[in-house]
Amino acid sequence: MSDPVLDFVSCPDQQGKHRMAYWSWGEPSAPHVVVCVHGLTRQGRDFDLLAQGLVASAKTANLPAIRVICPDVAGRGQSEWLKDPMAYQFAQYAGDMAVLLQTLNAQQPIKRLDWVGTSMGGVIGMLLAAQPLPTPVHRLVLNDIGPVVSWASILNMKTYVGKVGKFQSVQEAANAMLEISKGFGPHTPEEWLALSKHMVRSVEEGAFSLHYDPAIGVPVAKITQEQALAGEAALWQVYDLIQCPTLLIHGAQSELLSVSAVQEMQQRGPRVQVVTLEGVGHAPTLTHENQIDIVRRFLGLHA
């Protein structure tokens, strides 16, 4: 299967409703669902290679079929943009994902739910894993994220989030994204272009822009250091409620997640297992076979 199925779910917000897109890989009737959620300015197609790898692994290992769901969080990719820029908050995102899970469960009862979250997607995963869902999160993968987000990385986000630009080609957009994505680790030009092509949209003939709402940058620009510290304290409380087995994939050169934060995550809450990737910062793309294999093994999708 080389292409996922695109579908939508209607989610409530303070201004009414918006449509959230999600990409589906694998067997629609599979009772084992793996949800993969992307980072702040990314979109669900980031997980194409991971999703294909997980679906194929289950089949090769003669395990029950799985379904991999990769949402475009509101304001990104094929999802609708929110009317109020300040609605781009974790409470809205977690609420949207709860609606998505309800919809999937109505289509086919979910017997096992796993979550893979990169950066922002990991925070959403923590929020849901701490809740008594109808089908609780069985295994949680946090991709270079935890309760602590360094102030330096937030300051860095303020410099680029919301600046969607205008480019004459997809390659030019890919080159621009590479400049702000050094932490993703080494990729060949072909790999980087494959990761980038779903990140752009045509805005007029011969012109492209990044595929997210520039207003996502509004809440980021308003974050103060005091608010960041308060958010960190609240997230630690959430983290301490998580009981499912949890894996942290940590980029050794991550600006966002410090070694001291990782050590504290090993001593509190779910006491994460940690795999550290050398030569990578924030955040691993989970597109290379060694990274896919880390997720595969943690989820038990291997012979």
Side-chain angles (χ1 to χ4, degrees):
M1 184 179 186
S2 58
D3 291 300
V5 175
L6 175 62
D7 211 337
F8 297 87
V9 62
S10 180
C11 302
D13 58 50
Q14 290 187 343
Q15 285 70 44
K17 292 184 177 182
H18 60 275
R19 288 203 318 166
M20 183 175 72
Y22 64 95
W23 304 91
S24 179
W25 298 87
E27 179 53 56
S29 62
H32 180 186
V33 173
V34 181
V35 177
C36 300
V37 184
H38 58 79
L40 182 63
T41 62
R42 304 292 303 182
Q43 39 67 52
R45 297 300 299 272
D46 276 0
F47 296 104
D48 282 6
L49 293 179
L50 176 64
Q52 291 176 71
L54 296 181
V55 170
S57 295
K59 185 177 296 186
T60 301
N62 290 317
L63 296 171
I66 67 169
R67 186 181 188 191
V68 181
I69 302 294
C70 307
D72 288 345
V73 176
R76 288 85 166 172
Q78 302 298 323
S79 291
E80 288 185 339
W81 295 3
L82 301 180
K83 297 180 181 69
D84 177 10
M86 292 307 295
Y88 287 118
Q89 306 279 356
F90 282 111
Q92 181 68 60
Y93 302 152
D96 289 358
M97 296 303 161
V99 172
L100 172 62
L101 292 175
Q102 291 169 2
T103 301
L104 296 173
N105 202 44
Q107 295 172 357
Q108 170 66 43
I110 300 172
K111 300 291 181 61
R112 172 177 165 178
L113 173 65
D114 294 322
W115 193 282
V116 179
T118 294
S119 196
M120 177 187 75
V123 175
I124 299 169
M126 286 191 285
L127 293 171
L128 290 174
Q131 296 180 25
L133 299 174
T135 303
V137 176
H138 179 75
R139 294 212 161 203
L140 173 65
V141 178
L142 301 176
N143 187 18
D144 204 60
I145 191 66
V148 180
V149 176
S150 76
W151 181 240
S153 67
I154 293 174
L155 290 176
N156 184 45
M157 291 176 205
K158 290 172 179 280
T159 67
Y160 71 86
V161 176
K163 296 176 173 61
V164 297
K166 185 178 282 190
F167 310 97
Q168 294 183 343
S169 68
V170 174
Q171 184 65 63
E172 184 180 338
N175 295 343
M177 281 185 279
L178 185 60
E179 288 303 309
I180 60 171
S181 308
K182 299 293 188 183
F184 285 16
H187 294 78
T188 67
E190 293 76 20
E191 289 170 340
W192 187 252
L193 186 59
L195 260 177
S196 301
K197 66 182 181 180
H198 299 293
M199 282 292 300
V200 300
R201 63 190 181 96
S202 177
V203 289
E204 58 189 64
E205 187 173 350
F208 299 86
S209 178
L210 299 188
H211 214 320
Y212 70 87
D213 183 359
I216 287 169
V218 173
V220 175
K222 294 187 176 185
I223 296 174
T224 65
Q225 192 165 10
E226 292 73 22
Q227 289 172 331
L229 289 171
E232 178 183 315
L235 267 182
W236 274 120
Q237 292 181 328
V238 169
Y239 180 80
D240 286 338
L241 293 172
I242 298 171
Q243 298 182 12
C244 64
T246 303
L247 172 70
L248 171 65
I249 300 174
H250 183 221
Q253 282 71 50
S254 177
E255 177 192 55
L256 184 140
L257 191 60
S258 68
V259 172
S260 61
V262 172
Q263 291 171 342
E264 189 168 359
M265 290 173 71
Q266 291 176 290
Q267 298 164 3
R268 294 178 58 169
R271 293 178 170 82
V272 292
Q273 302 175 41
V274 180
V275 175
T276 300
L277 297 176
E278 295 296 335
V280 183
H282 183 78
T285 58
L286 307 183
T287 56
H288 295 139
E289 182 56 32
N290 67 314
Q291 296 178 14
I292 293 171
D293 194 54
I294 292 167
V295 178
R296 175 192 294 126
R297 291 183 176 279
F298 180 71
L299 299 184
L301 299 174
H302 61 95

